[in-house]
Amino acid sequence: MPTPFTHLAIAQRMLGDAAIPAAHRDLLIAHRGAFYLGQVAADGHELSAAKREDTHFYNYTTPITEHPWRVMMDRNPSLWDRHDEPFRAFLAGYIAHLGVDEHWLTAMLAPFFAERPDWADRYERFLMLHIILIHMDERDHAAVTSAHLFPAGDTAHQLGAAAPANWLPFMTDHGLREWGAVVYRQIKPDGRSETLDILAPRVKKTPADLRYILDTPNEINRRLWAFVPREYWMQTEREMYAFARDQMIAYLDGAR
């Protein structure tokens, strides 16, 4: 699934998106540290001793029949009762994250990487899934650490200052803070991305192996882009953003 840097780049874009009602954007901007933490929180499940499906509200083996954020709210109806602004900004980010992952799963991961035995064996498809995610991750790490609506360094500063206060019944405040710190140290002014170090063992490669594929046009073109059309990937990213934005707006509008 898209990495924390991709989720944060989406969060930055949302802060300036005129398609989001002004009152909602004002809320997110005023409490953008909480919003940023919400955008990455679900992936820190291990630091709250939770399973992935406990924080994402779907699993890879069962088709999604209801938006995961709706499942989350149905299972935890008390989330509707919190109205303090930092919490609402946080939960808006969390819902956007779930929307991004839902769309990526249904539009990209399932049809191109899970259900394409004609392309390559399962391992090669799994490896190329990570290559496309790292390709996005490196682009978005650069965006997150650069100036946008706010000066360079603001995203890291705001994320580092987020202060969860009993925000989720299925993740601990300590776990949320610790996960925020993991992301913060990689985007602060003197930070370094750890993506290759984290993902390489998952695909039984070294960081240098992944770096070679990413930096060798013939390799990435032959093994990835020949089977995943770039135009479709770019379209998927556009639609993924719009889908996540609309799910978030539905929550902020109070659409139960």
Side-chain angles (χ1 to χ4, degrees), residues 117-158:
D118 60 305
W119 166 8
D121 62 29
R122 182 182 296 272
Y123 171 75
E124 175 72 2
R125 299 197 312 271
F126 186 62
L127 173 59
M128 288 302 109
L129 171 62
H130 284 73
I131 290 297
I132 197 171
L133 291 173
I134 297 168
H135 178 75
M136 295 159 58
D137 171 278
E138 294 186 341
R139 173 201 66 195
D140 294 332
H141 183 271
V144 166
T145 54
S146 301
H148 50 110
L149 284 180
F150 301 95
D154 180 80
T155 300
H157 172 73
Q158 295 291 335

Side-chain angles (χ1 to χ4, degrees), residues 88-218:
R88 281 174 52 77
F90 168 82
L91 197 60
Y94 201 106
I95 287 167
H97 178 116
L98 296 183
V100 166
D101 282 6
E102 177 185 357
H103 192 82
W104 180 264
L105 172 63
T106 56
M108 181 62 75
L109 190 156
F112 280 91
F113 295 94
E115 302 166 1
R116 283 288 303 275
D118 60 305
W119 166 8
D121 62 29
R122 182 182 296 272
Y123 171 75
E124 175 72 2
R125 299 197 312 271
F126 186 62
L127 173 59
M128 288 302 109
L129 171 62
H130 284 73
I131 290 297
I132 197 171
L133 291 173
I134 297 168
H135 178 75
M136 295 159 58
D137 171 278
E138 294 186 341
R139 173 201 66 195
D140 294 332
H141 183 271
V144 166
T145 54
S146 301
H148 50 110
L149 284 180
F150 301 95
D154 180 80
T155 300
H157 172 73
Q158 295 291 335
L159 175 64
N166 297 313
W167 281 348
L168 293 174
F170 48 85
M171 297 184 78
T172 67
D173 290 346
H174 176 75
L176 290 172
R177 286 193 297 269
E178 287 296 300
W179 181 240
V182 169
V183 179
Y184 166 80
R185 75 184 183 219
Q186 298 178 66
I187 63 172
K188 64 181 182 176
D190 60 345
R192 180 187 70 85
S193 170
E194 300 168 18
T195 298
L196 291 182
D197 299 320
I198 293 169
L199 295 187
R202 295 186 190 177
V203 292
K204 300 179 181 178
K205 295 290 185 183
T206 66
D209 293 332
L210 298 179
R211 184 81 270 149
Y212 172 77
I213 297 171
L214 290 159
D215 291 347
T216 306
N218 286 343

